[in-house]
Amino acid sequence: MNRIGLFAASAVVCAAIFCPPLASSHDATAPSEAEHHDARIQLSDRQIEAGNFSVQHVGRGALSQRITVSGAIVPSGDHIAKVSVRLLGTVAELRKRLGDPVKEGEVVAVIESREVADAKSEYLAARLAFDLQQTLFTRSKSLFDSKVLSENDYLRARTAFEDVRIKLEVARQKLFALGLAEDQIAALPQQPVATLRLQELRAPITGRIAERRVDLGSLVGREGQESELFVIVDLDVVWADLSIPVADLNAVREGQSITLRSGNDAEPIPATIKFVSPLLDKETRLARVIASIDNSSHALRPGSFVTAEIPLRTTAASVKVPKTALQTIKDNAVVFVRTAEGFEPRQITTDREDQQSIEVVSGLSAGERIATANTFILKAELGKSDAQHQH
């Protein structure tokens, strides 16, 4: 609200509360719903309720020293993944477009590669040889146990079996290195021979396609070609990348709760410090601090700027009041104490403060009730009454 709008709203509120004329000390018969006497503001319960003064008890509390630093939202390093290939091939299918949602394990692209066809064929041949040698070895062992087969023949059968077993495992590990999963390797014997050259690429995490780096028919893989096809980002959790002065670094710790704001009028966003860098930037002498944020609403986007409020230390105060309760009258700090008839201004002495509260060292006792909102209305009414008494 601009300044003109604020003054207009204040006038409306004042008129609603103090509209009835004040009783004059020279006119005892004048009607009075609000009057001042000996620097006191007399108000009925109805007027106090209409003024929304938020009367609260004061007492002990804690003052939090905070620092405010700026930062930027970045994707969480634990919730970003790249879909890449480990072989030379051609993009045969792109099943996802930019911005599409994907689930973990879902096929996002298909690559056509002679290298993967050779590796699959080698594995199938090794598997077939292994099955045959396993049958022969089982029979040889049975004959050896029955004293029908000589020990030399049994050892030759076992050596042949171990040889094909090792070759099968090597072929299997080669497929793992090319990016095939366990279930894909297990399904190879049922796969048509014509499709052995095709390699499915699956999403490693659930999220959305943030980048697509290749086109259909692109050559991918080694030899300096593009190997990353997609970048998938899960924005349910994001990070705030902050820079902290070295003087305040000792009070910042991992696991500490902080608050963020993405704008001046934005609601505070809770976050937790995840990482405090042990290194300082050589030029700025600032330390990098990472805070984790629950972003299930997807309100925060990577690249946007935020400000962070980081509590440094907490001190006890015997009497603490909100800053909204304070007014300045004749260069003195004043609060409005609730009385049986309304309010009375009370001069106070203050000391330490934080962003929202201030400590009172004299003039106010714990347990008293004060107005904590719209106190400018009470100050204005007090000034109006003083002017009337001067006349």
Side-chain angles (χ1 to χ4, degrees), residues 28 73 75 85 98 135 157 229 262 284 287 296 329 333 391:
I73 298 298
V85 295
L98 196 64
T135 302
L229 277 67
S262 59
T284 63
S296 53
I329 300 177
H391 291 291

Side-chain angles (χ1 to χ4, degrees), residues 1 54 56 70 78 90 107 184-186 210 238 243 255 291 328 331 345-346 352 368 378:
M1 182 180 293
S54 298
Q56 299 178 11
S70 59
D78 300 328
T90 305
V107 176
Q184 292 176 297
I185 296 175
V238 294
S243 297
T328 301
D331 296 329
R346 182 82 61 80
R352 298 167 300 176
E368 293 189 278
L378 299 175

Side-chain angles (χ1 to χ4, degrees), residues 297-352:
S297 64
H298 291 188
L300 297 175
R301 294 179 178 273
S304 58
F305 293 102
V306 293
T307 55
E309 295 179 358
I310 304 176
L312 297 182
R313 60 190 64 86
T314 301
T315 57
S318 56
V319 177
K320 185 183 79 168
V321 300
K323 288 185 176 180
T324 55
L326 267 65
Q327 292 293 334
T328 301
I329 300 177
K330 296 180 181 179
D331 296 329
N332 295 318
V334 171
V335 296
F336 291 91
V337 180
R338 179 74 163 94
T339 64
E341 295 80 16
F343 293 97
E344 68 173 12
R346 182 82 61 80
Q347 182 178 333
I348 59 173
T349 303
T350 61
D351 192 6
R352 298 167 300 176

Side-chain angles (χ1 to χ4, degrees), residues 209-231:
I209 302 295
E211 295 182 40
R212 196 192 81 176
R213 298 182 173 178
V214 295
D215 298 319
L216 195 64
S218 298
L219 182 66
V220 294
R222 296 189 293 269
E223 299 181 3
Q225 302 297 328
E226 186 69 63
S227 61
E228 296 177 357
L229 277 67
F230 295 102
V231 176

